[in-house]
Amino acid sequence: MRNKVTIVGAGNVGATTAQRIHQLGYADVVIVDVVEDLPQGKALDMLESGPVIGSDALVTGSNGYEESANSDIVVITAGIARGPGMSRDDLLLTNMKITSAVTEQVVKYSPNCIIIAVTNPLDAMLQNIYEKSGFPRNRVFGMAGVLDTSRFRTFIAQELDVSVEDVQAYVLGGHGDDMVPLVRYTTVGGIPITELMDDDQIQKLVIRARQGGGEIVALLKQGSAYYAPSASITQMVESVLLDKKRILPACAYLEGEYGITGLCVGVPVKLGANGVEQVIEINLTEEERGALQNSADSVKELIDVMAKGGS
Ligand code: APR
């Protein structure tokens, strides 16, 4: 029997993720959305690509959660983007309500699943989903770091004219402008980038990676990135389904690691069949630790707004 992965939200990120997972061929995919017929239409279209791409996996669309029952993994992308006249806090509270309602259904129909949160603002949404789910922390984590790192790796590979595969990097902290790319741990074919680029070059790439999401939004004019986000989600899904135990940056609920307790922040983790099997603690300099704390403080501010504005 194939594994089952549910994607909640049939928008750009959700549908592209569903397509990538279907193409892998070893998991059936269920797409859930509130818009009538939309998930059914996208699912059928994907299913009909099966003979061409050689995937026997099933893709089903639904406006409810019955079809999603007993999923191994549920990816939550449901939410709205910020519209004209909406403040960041409005977005926060609207997506908090959406992710709360979604989590309730996910827990009801798939009590043993692993949840991967994607809806923005990611760190705050993960905190909400983690608390609402009542799941242990290893089964609820968020996608941001793989994407932020992938952007950073892309820019480094372009700058040095080397294969993207040879660039390894880590990004810590929240999924925002104050994320912390770890330059000291960034290597190209095992060589620290500090050996290959000067400080100015590195800082330019760090800034571009930090603002990577905004760069895409500005170009698209409508909506936000989804090709690199869906690839990043798929890598995390694969690490869990195949128990690969990859070491990837993910947003996780910290219980004292890095001196942070009770907050969801981006850190390196080991991802396997049990979800987050280990939070990996690496030595940080005073400056890196300060930047991580700064990022954690920004997440805390959003959580305080949710506590006041939501019920
Ligand atoms: N249940 C299920 N689906 C919902 C719900 C809900 N309660 N509320 C909204 N949705 C659906 C919308 O109908 C829409 O199809 O979520 C989908 C969101 O899709 P898009 O607007 O295309 O947004 P997308 O680009 O996919 O981004 C989704 O991921 O990366 C983040 O910042 C991004 O928070 C955003 C999320």
Side-chain angles (χ1 to χ4, degrees):
M1 211 167 84
R2 276 185 291 269
N3 284 111
K4 185 170 179 179
V5 178
T6 289
I7 314 284
V8 186
N12 282 336
V13 175
T16 318
T17 304
Q19 183 196 1
R20 289 185 188 279
I21 295 171
H22 172 234
Q23 186 137 16
L24 292 174
Y26 47 70
D28 290 333
V29 181
V30 180
I31 310 171
V32 177
D33 200 289
V34 283
V35 179
E36 210 178 314
D37 290 340
L38 177 76
Q40 291 86 341
K42 291 196 179 185
L44 183 59
D45 191 11
M46 276 178 224
L47 187 72
E48 289 167 355
S49 69
V52 181
I53 62 172
S55 173
D56 287 307
L58 300 176
V59 194
T60 317
S62 177
N63 299 118
Y65 287 79
E66 293 80 4
E67 283 89 345
S68 78
N70 300 316
S71 291
D72 298 287
I73 299 179
V74 177
V75 179
I76 301 180
T77 77
I80 56 152
R82 191 146 61 125
M86 260 183 105
S87 73
R88 220 170 260 277
D89 287 355
D90 290 339
L91 175 72
L92 177 76
L93 296 177
T94 302
N95 281 351
M96 179 189 85
K97 286 185 188 119
I98 291 174
T99 53
S100 294
V102 168
T103 304
E104 195 181 306
Q105 295 300 308
V106 169
V107 169
K108 182 172 165 200
Y109 284 93
S110 299
N112 300 313
C113 74
I114 282 171
I115 298 177
I116 304 181
V118 180
T119 307
N120 274 317
L122 187 267
D123 311 272
M125 289 306 107
L126 176 62
Q127 185 97 17
N128 182 47
I129 291 166
Y130 167 71
E131 284 170 6
K132 292 281 171 348
S133 71
F135 282 6
R137 71 167 180 162
N138 62 301
R139 289 205 279 129
V140 194
F141 50 90
M143 190 292 291
V146 175
L147 170 63
D148 294 328
T149 310
S150 184
R151 287 181 174 142
F152 192 35
R153 291 169 65 194
T154 303
F155 305 148
I156 293 167
Q158 277 190 331
E159 182 79 7
L160 293 175
D161 190 25
V162 297
S163 167
V164 289
E165 284 184 319
D166 287 332
V167 183
Q168 280 298 330
Y170 275 103
V171 175
L172 288 184
H175 184 45
D177 293 349
D178 50 9
M179 69 177 92
V180 190
L182 286 180
V183 172
R184 280 188 315 122
Y185 289 94
T186 301
T187 57
V188 179
I191 305 162
I193 51 163
T194 44
E195 299 283 315
L196 302 167
M197 285 190 215
D198 62 35
D199 264 6
D200 281 357
Q201 263 178 312
I202 295 171
Q203 278 318 309
K204 260 203 319 221
L205 303 186
V206 163
I207 290 167
R208 189 165 176 209
R210 276 205 186 120
Q211 298 169 350
E215 187 177 358
I216 304 287
V217 168
L219 289 168
L220 293 181
K221 311 285 190 292
Q222 248 187 353
S224 47
Y226 52 100
Y227 292 115
S230 57
S232 307
I233 299 164
T234 305
Q235 184 176 62
M236 296 175 87
V237 165
E238 195 174 46
S239 193
V240 172
L241 290 184
L242 302 185
D243 194 23
K244 285 176 80 96
K245 302 192 192 296
R246 296 208 54 176
I247 309 295
L248 298 170
C251 186
Y253 183 80
L254 298 187
E255 291 172 335
E257 294 90 354
Y258 294 98
I260 297 168
T261 301
L263 268 189
C264 291
V265 184
V267 289
V269 302
K270 188 204 284 180
L271 275 192
N274 295 315
V276 173
E277 298 187 351
Q278 192 187 345
V279 171
I280 298 185
E281 281 195 90
I282 50 180
N283 284 324
L284 299 180
T285 62
E286 218 30 53
E287 197 187 341
E288 288 160 350
R289 195 168 280 277
L292 180 62
Q293 189 56 52
N294 199 25
S295 194
D297 291 345
S298 308
V299 176
K300 179 78 173 57
E301 274 172 32
L302 295 184
I303 287 161
D304 290 344
V305 174
M306 291 201 298
K308 282 196 207 106
S311 56

